[in-house]
Amino acid sequence: LISRLRSRAAEKEKLLEQETSRKNDLITYLAHDLKTPLASVIGYLCLLTENPDLPESLKEKYTEIALDKTYRLEQLINEFFEITRYSLHSIVVNPEKIHLKTMLLQIADEFYPILEADGKTISVDAPADLILVGDADKLARVFNNILKNAAAYSYEHTQIHIRAYQREGWTIITFVNQGTPIPPHQLETIFEKFYRLDTARSSKTGGSGLGLAIAKEIVTAHHGTILAASDAENTVFTIRLPNPPQPVQPS
């Protein structure tokens, strides 16, 4: 009897430790996701203050983007206050119709001030009528995290190419950048939590090693896949999402 009681106590303690670990992971995930919209807000406000002679149309555009990202920051901060209601295994995916090209163009605009300093740009190639069914907020996190990785590791004065198309019941989105190749053995681990290709460079760019792990979890929750490939010329991230999707379940 004493042995069984000790075993149950040990099991309860282990479950409590796992739950605490999941909540700590979720806090870290949310903190990571705060960085991209914050960088966008700072970048566009710097453009406005450092270039007082900008055309009014550009001033209005940059102000609107900064305000939109500020609202996004507010939303993420609110999630911190509700942290006790979440765990990594109970985040629900809420599907809706997404105009994919519009979303990708908006995200590309957010990265303009981040890329401009190094002469980098983004191109988006997608049909205007391509509709994807998925959780818009969570997929936006996926695309943001992949672009953040591409922005950090691509060469100066190069272009990041985003392409989206549909084939055989799948929506396929690729992100291609020119940069230092990822060694084959590291391609198997870049989607693991806290993994960094280069600790020094990640620290310099503010990377936590969580971005691609977050992306994989969200894509998996949509019954999709995410893969990376790299050679001497390009690094390619490929996302495949079912279209129409299978019934979406909590991740």
Side-chain angles (χ1 to χ4, degrees):
L1 178 60
I2 293 174
S3 177
R4 287 199 299 270
L5 289 174
R6 287 176 177 171
S7 178
R8 290 175 184 173
E11 184 177 349
K12 288 182 179 179
E13 183 177 356
K14 182 178 180 180
L15 290 173
L16 180 60
E17 290 177 354
Q18 290 175 344
E19 180 64 22
T20 300
S21 177
R22 286 196 294 269
K23 288 182 178 180
N24 288 341
D25 278 350
L26 183 57
I27 291 172
T28 307
Y29 277 30
L30 293 174
H32 174 273
D33 281 347
L34 288 170
K35 293 180 180 179
T36 297
L38 179 60
S40 183
V41 170
I42 293 172
Y44 277 105
L45 291 180
C46 285
L47 286 174
L48 288 169
T49 56
E50 294 171 2
N51 300 278
D53 298 327
L54 281 173
E56 287 300 319
S57 59
L58 279 180
K59 288 182 180 179
E60 291 179 5
K61 178 180 179 181
Y62 294 167
T63 301
E64 287 177 2
I65 294 174
L67 181 60
D68 181 66
K69 294 303 106 186
T70 303
Y71 287 142
R72 176 60 181 153
L73 280 171
E74 181 183 36
Q75 178 184 353
L76 289 170
I77 290 169
N78 287 337
E79 290 187 32
F80 277 104
F81 291 101
E82 299 179 358
I83 196 69
T84 56
R85 298 171 52 191
Y86 292 89
S87 74
L88 291 180
H89 299 291
S90 62
I91 298 176
V92 178
V93 172
N94 299 304
E96 59 183 293
K97 289 185 177 180
I98 302 168
H99 291 273
L100 187 55
K101 183 172 185 176
T102 300
M103 173 188 277
L104 293 172
L105 287 171
Q106 289 173 345
I107 293 173
D109 280 343
E110 294 170 15
F111 275 82
Y112 171 75
I114 301 171
L115 298 173
E116 191 267 342
D118 293 326
K120 302 174 186 178
T121 58
I122 299 176
S123 68
V124 177
D125 178 13
D129 59 350
L130 198 162
I131 301 295
L132 174 66
V133 177
D135 189 312
D137 286 339
K138 291 181 176 62
L139 288 176
R141 289 189 187 187
V142 173
F143 303 149
N144 266 295
N145 288 340
I146 294 176
L147 277 175
K148 186 175 182 180
N149 186 79
Y153 295 111
S154 58
Y155 296 137
E156 293 184 358
H157 306 291
T158 59
Q159 188 169 68
I160 300 168
H161 300 276
I162 306 174
R163 184 186 176 209
Y165 58 96
Q166 292 179 326
R167 178 180 296 168
E168 298 178 353
W170 294 87
T171 296
I172 302 170
I173 309 109
T174 61
F175 297 77
V176 183
N177 72 272
Q178 300 175 48
T180 304
I182 303 173
H185 69 278
Q186 291 182 329
L187 288 172
E188 300 176 2
T189 55
I190 59 174
F191 295 107
E192 295 178 3
K193 285 187 211 175
F194 309 113
Y195 180 78
R196 290 177 175 177
L197 285 176
D198 183 322
T199 303
R201 288 174 67 189
S202 294
S203 298
K204 180 181 178 182
T205 58
S208 66
L210 284 171
L212 296 179
I214 295 170
K216 183 176 181 179
E217 289 199 9
I218 293 173
V219 170
T220 300
H222 283 78
H223 304 285
T225 61
I226 179 170
L227 299 171
S230 187
D231 58 29
E233 297 295 328
N234 299 304
T235 294
V236 184
F237 285 87
T238 302
I239 298 170
R240 287 166 50 90
L241 297 168
N243 188 48
Q246 301 173 14
V248 179
Q249 301 294 331
S251 60

